[in-house]
Amino acid sequence: IALIKIKKRVPRMSLRNAIDLTGRRILLTGATGGIGAATARACASLGVERLILADAGPQEALDALCQELRDHGVDTVGHQCDVSRRQDNADLVAAAGELDAAVACAGICPLEEDWADDPDWDEVFHRVMDVNLLGPIHLARELIPRMASWGGGQIVMIGSIGGRMGGTSPIVQPHYIASKGGVHALIWWLAQRAAPQGVLVNGIAPGPIASAMTATTPYPKDQYPLGRIGEPEEIAWPAAFLCSPAATYFSGSILDVNGGLFVG
């Protein structure tokens, strides 16, 4: 009996790198911070067509980052924006025009106050919540219906390992932890409502990252699996990925990027 050799059919795979932002327009808040600036640079290196950068910090820092990216051939505009203000977000999104993706990087983490003894701590709590949690809510409120009308889009929100496990330094205050846990819950809530409209909402929960925010925070690095804290670029690349065509089946995901500090 003659044996018939059957050739196994192998599915064809595209060789195109889908982690490619060519032609995309991306908005970033908190753009001059460590993670924000690194994300802007990562997006620029992946061929983004236009970057809209927003920050509440010094205008000089925002102008310098915009000029740096323009010098590398990226169409970049900057806007002053306090994300805690609803109208600032509305003005920002209206000025940005049609967008493919947005990354909400703006955040604060005050360390000086003592939640148990400081009589003014409650005021600081409300400011942290206004920036870290109400800010992403304001942004999503403006973006989701517009992105739906444009045929879809991708939104990335920066949470924190603190929202997963209560923090990795004893001096981090509960307002920050509560705000980032709220960001995670917001991502899940928004994802369920936005996905049917073609808008994908995801997040990243970074471990401790070297930045101005963490420069004065003591971390027990020798107890960490990698023996160090992370670099801004190690969050920027996952953020850029979540803005790319390679992430079009992500919805309601929170990427834990923490060097093995939290596994769950």
Side-chain angles (χ1 to χ4, degrees):
I1 301 174
L3 297 179
I4 301 175
K5 187 176 181 180
I6 301 176
K7 185 177 180 181
K8 184 177 179 181
R9 184 176 294 277
V10 179
R12 294 184 62 187
M13 298 181 67
S14 170
L15 297 178
R16 185 179 69 86
N17 180 8
I19 308 177
D20 179 5
L21 301 178
T22 300
R24 297 207 156 200
R25 299 162 57 98
I26 298 177
L27 166 69
L28 288 90
T29 66
T32 65
I35 292 175
T39 301
R41 295 181 180 113
C43 291
S45 74
L46 292 171
V48 68
E49 178 180 303
R50 191 174 204 224
L51 284 171
I52 299 92
L53 307 183
D55 203 278
Q59 184 68 47
E60 295 80 7
L62 184 58
D63 290 344
L65 180 60
C66 288
Q67 190 58 53
E68 173 193 332
L69 297 170
R70 290 189 199 109
D71 290 344
H72 285 83
V74 180
D75 180 11
T76 309
V77 295
H79 295 274
Q80 280 285 315
C81 176
D82 181 343
V83 297
S84 71
R85 298 175 181 168
R86 182 170 182 170
Q87 190 59 49
D88 276 23
N89 286 270
D91 293 343
L92 172 64
V93 174
E98 188 169 337
L99 296 166
D100 298 287
V103 185
C105 291
I108 58 174
C109 181
L111 298 172
E112 296 80 11
E113 300 79 11
D114 184 341
W115 75 281
D117 298 322
D118 190 333
D120 298 322
W121 188 86
D122 289 8
E123 295 180 19
V124 181
F125 170 88
H126 288 296
R127 178 59 182 164
V128 171
M129 285 292 179
D130 284 349
V131 173
N132 292 3
L133 184 54
L134 190 57
I137 289 175
H138 287 325
L139 188 64
R141 182 191 292 116
E142 299 299 324
L143 281 175
I144 290 174
R146 285 179 170 85
M147 283 183 164
S149 72
W150 300 327
Q154 290 156 278
I155 299 173
V156 183
M157 297 183 174
I158 305 300
S160 170
I161 191 174
R164 293 292 209 193
M165 57 180 288
T168 57
S169 171
I171 71 169
V172 176
Q173 297 277 305
H175 45 33
Y176 180 79
I177 302 303
S179 71
K180 291 302 186 176
V183 170
H184 297 173
L186 176 64
I187 290 165
W188 297 322
W189 187 88
L190 288 171
Q192 295 178 59
R193 289 154 179 79
Q197 304 177 62
V199 180
L200 309 175
V201 182
N202 295 290
I204 300 173
I209 300 298
S211 68
M213 183 184 290
T214 61
T216 60
T217 308
Y219 291 105
K221 302 175 188 177
D222 58 331
Q223 300 175 26
Y224 294 172
L226 294 182
R228 65 176 179 87
I229 63 175
E231 295 296 327
E233 293 78 10
E234 293 176 300
I235 306 303
W237 292 114
F241 161 75
L242 288 173
C243 292
S244 78
T248 51
Y249 204 56
F250 280 75
S251 180
S253 297
I254 299 173
L255 304 185
D256 291 300
V257 188
N258 57 54
L261 276 173
F262 171 81
V263 180

